[in-house]
Amino acid sequence: PVPGRCAYFVERKKRFCKMIPAAGKRFCGEHGRQEEENDRRRIPCPLDPKHTVYEDQLQKHLKKCNSREKPKPVYFVQDINAGLKDLAEVPEKQVPISSLSKEELQNLIIKLKKASNGLELHLKEQILSHQALEEALNDPKNGQSAFKHLKQQASILGNMEKLHLLGPGRCFVEFGAGRGKLSHWVDAALQNVENVQFLLVERATTRFKVDGKHKRRDSVFERLQVDIQHLCLEKVPVLEKKKLPVVGIGKHLCGAATDLALRCLVESYMACSGGENEEPAPKRSRTDQTEMASNNSANTESNKDNCMRVAGIVIALCCHHKCDWTHYVGREFFKSVGLGPVEFHYFQRMSSWATCGMRETTTKSSTNEESEDQTNEAEEHEQTFSKTENGSDTLQGIFTVEERKEIGCLCKRLIDHGRIEYLQRQGYQAALQYYTESAVSLENVLLTAVPSPSLIPEPTT
């Protein structure tokens, strides 16, 4: 080492460190610590073995480790939106699709087509935009990926505007919020609107959040770090205090998260009768029935007020392969067409064929631009499938690429129809539509729902 310089040899640079150490020291501050630490032992953290800690600092680390159990927020209610309580209904183990015989696979397809018979499979195209994103959409600095996200967000806002959901005195709850970009643009669209609250629901900590970029002082952003499965909106302080009508939104809410969000909105935040898990009413005497009849009008008005607590739902769907029978809201529909958890398991796996089931056989012939689009799509929805899971080799002799794509789309529509029926039973007018082109996103279906007119209270004179 050079006299008066640090004596630590930097292996990566193949030279000694050039920093000047303190008087009487051989190493600079940084490398002096490293030399001391070489004699200390690191062990996996008992709370989360993905990271390590110095053994002599374990007790201190456990008190501040991010993986430690934290006090539950007031809106945390264990499994309130989980759905199925009786796990006996769910088969313990399912064989992969690639292990099914040709006959078993064809029988599944027959069941799929029979159950889909009579359903609306050709969705209406409703690709809209919103002036709030006009400047961003025309910004040449945006890359291709950013432009695609902006087009989707613009169409979601356009659909919200068409349903009259962009109004004052509302709380917008973004499920699976991530960085919060969708809420950011909703806020931008509500420039002259007062009394607006945003709740951003995300179970993981998120970097590069855009919550702080909103400029309007009268809109309030609050993050709820909780799994949707355990979120009780009724107990969120701002909603408990203000009783604001809620608009549930989400952009590419993966698989079971959509079902959890729907149940969170229409079951844990409103008390409309006729819920899926509601216990049957006990038998009543004639006297009780008379008293019930006399209170019918009051109960109806009460139900209307409760139903209006959820003013609307606008969710861009995706990743049906991540759905789960336990959480699925359309189980009653599946049972009504003679299907159960076994068929659901295979249909949700086959739904991946609609977007990436054919990727193995098309990759070689794809252009660079197409490959880039598919990579972006895989990153966004975490659609990483192995050959075995897709069964590409096994299925090549049974179905063509186009047939697999058609079957995958059919599986998606069937699963989504169960969600539509669930919302209709809860008193909503629900619909599915294409909200963007498939070239922008392979997951291009938007679920919308607003209260049925019969449940909207009439204005008082």
Side-chain angles (χ1 to χ4, degrees):
V2 179
R5 301 283 179 168
C6 177
Y8 186 86
F9 186 77
V10 185
E11 185 65 35
R12 181 173 59 86
K13 297 184 178 180
K14 305 298 181 186
R15 64 166 173 77
F16 286 95
C17 173
K18 294 181 180 181
M19 297 296 290
I20 301 174
K25 301 285 186 179
R26 292 185 62 235
F27 302 101
C28 66
E30 174 64 25
H31 295 131
R33 283 195 299 271
Q34 287 189 24
E35 286 296 307
E36 291 175 9
E37 290 170 358
N38 287 339
D39 298 330
R40 300 165 69 191
R41 180 170 171 254
R42 292 190 73 89
I43 59 173
C45 172
L47 299 178
D48 181 8
K50 291 180 181 177
H51 67 272
T52 59
V53 60
Y54 286 114
E55 189 174 22
D56 58 354
Q57 290 189 338
L58 177 60
Q59 295 307 316
K60 181 180 178 181
H61 171 80
L62 291 177
K63 293 177 182 178
K64 62 180 181 179
C65 178
N66 287 333
S67 298
R68 73 189 186 282
E69 187 174 355
K70 302 177 183 70
K72 297 289 190 293
V74 292
Y75 47 78
F76 181 98
V77 178
Q78 185 72 36
D79 294 329
I80 186 171
N81 305 313
L84 188 63
K85 302 294 190 296
D86 184 11
L87 296 179
E89 190 178 327
V90 182
E92 289 184 9
K93 190 176 181 182
Q94 300 282 4
V95 297
I97 295 174
S98 55
S99 299
L100 296 176
S101 66
K102 183 177 180 179
E103 185 180 354
E104 288 173 324
L105 198 53
Q106 287 175 336
N107 284 337
L108 273 175
I109 306 304
I110 291 170
K111 286 185 178 182
L112 173 65
K113 291 182 177 179
K114 183 179 178 182
S116 304
N117 189 31
L119 301 185
E120 183 57 56
L121 302 177
H122 302 288
L123 306 183
K124 179 174 65 174
E125 196 172 83
Q126 196 151 282
I127 302 172
L128 305 176
S129 190
H130 196 280
Q131 59 183 9
L133 289 95
E134 188 175 346
E135 185 179 342
L137 284 167
N138 294 320
D139 188 349
K141 294 180 182 178
N142 285 321
Q144 186 69 11
S145 178
F147 179 70
K148 287 183 176 183
H149 285 293
L150 288 168
K151 284 195 74 173
Q152 293 172 68
Q153 288 154 346
S155 185
I156 291 173
L157 261 66
N159 277 277
M160 290 176 69
E161 187 173 53
K162 187 172 183 178
L163 294 169
H164 308 291
L165 295 177
L166 296 176
R170 289 180 178 173
C171 178
F172 295 88
V173 182
E174 183 179 357
F175 293 95
R179 294 175 59 198
K181 291 298 286 284
L182 183 56
S183 291
H184 171 73
W185 288 117
V186 171
D187 181 61
L190 298 171
Q191 292 201 3
N192 301 315
V193 176
E194 298 179 351
N195 191 21
V196 178
Q197 175 82 34
F198 289 90
L199 294 176
L200 282 66
V201 182
E202 179 60 63
R203 65 182 178 184
T205 53
T206 308
R207 300 175 66 196
F208 310 118
K209 296 184 284 287
V210 297
D211 313 4
K213 293 185 178 181
H214 58 91
K215 298 177 181 178
R216 301 191 315 115
R217 294 182 180 178
D218 53 344
S219 60
V220 182
F221 280 67
E222 181 183 349
R223 279 192 172 259
L224 308 180
Q225 190 176 340
V226 62
D227 194 309
I228 305 170
Q229 183 171 331
H230 313 301
L231 171 61
C232 179
L233 286 177
E234 184 76 35
K235 295 188 177 184
V236 175
V238 67
L239 293 177
E240 194 173 21
K241 180 182 178 181
K242 294 186 177 181
K243 304 293 183 185
L244 294 171
V246 159
V247 178
I249 60 176
K251 177 175 174 286
H252 293 147
L253 197 55
C254 289
T258 293
D259 299 298
L260 295 171
L262 293 178
R263 195 176 279 109
C264 176
L265 287 164
V266 303
E267 291 186 33
S268 79
Y269 189 57
M270 66 185 230
C272 288
S273 59
E276 180 180 320
N277 298 320
E278 188 176 276
E279 293 182 5
K283 291 184 178 179
R284 300 175 183 272
S285 66
R286 288 189 178 181
T287 307
D288 291 336
Q289 289 174 1
T290 305
E291 289 177 2
M292 244 179 90
S294 66
N295 292 325
N296 257 354
S297 58
N299 289 338
T300 302
E301 290 304 315
S302 174
N303 277 342
K304 285 182 179 181
D305 291 340
N306 284 330
C307 288
M308 279 304 294
R309 295 179 71 184
V310 178
I313 300 169
V314 180
I315 295 175
L317 305 171
C318 85
C319 300
H320 294 70
H321 63 278
K322 290 187 177 181
C323 290
D324 187 292
W325 178 258
T326 306
H327 304 312
Y328 182 50
V329 296
R331 292 192 303 269
E332 292 303 315
F333 163 69
F334 257 64
K335 291 174 183 177
S336 71
V337 291
L339 303 174
V342 174
E343 290 81 9
F344 180 84
H345 167 80
Y346 291 119
F347 292 163
Q348 56 105 347
R349 300 317 300 167
M350 288 191 290
S351 70
S352 66
W353 297 354
T355 53
C356 61
M358 62 285 192
R359 190 167 295 164
E360 285 289 342
T361 54
T362 57
T363 301
K364 292 182 181 179
S365 60
S366 297
T367 64
N368 291 335
E369 185 178 354
E370 287 171 337
S371 298
E372 185 181 347
D373 290 346
Q374 289 174 343
T375 302
N376 288 338
E377 199 69 26
E379 287 176 359
E380 184 173 358
H381 309 300
E382 301 179 51
Q383 292 181 344
T384 51
F385 291 88
S386 64
K387 261 190 176 184
T388 308
E389 188 172 340
N390 276 325
S392 298
D393 294 337
T394 309
L395 300 169
Q396 271 184 342
I398 304 175
F399 304 115
T400 65
V401 168
E402 285 304 315
E403 285 173 335
R404 271 181 282 163
K405 185 177 178 181
E406 183 183 345
I407 291 167
C409 288
L410 208 56
C411 291
K412 282 176 174 284
R413 295 295 76 80
L414 191 68
I415 291 171
D416 288 339
H417 187 79
R419 290 164 168 167
I420 294 296
E421 280 210 1
Y422 166 78
L423 288 169
Q424 289 172 344
R425 288 198 309 274
Q426 299 288 342
Y428 283 85
Q429 286 183 334
L432 299 167
Q433 53 263 314
Y434 293 119
Y435 77 103
T436 192
E437 301 91 346
S438 58
V440 172
S441 176
L442 294 173
E443 298 281 16
N444 60 343
V445 174
L446 188 72
L447 182 151
T448 60
V450 291
S452 296
S454 60
L455 293 174
I456 299 176
E458 297 176 4
T460 56
T461 55

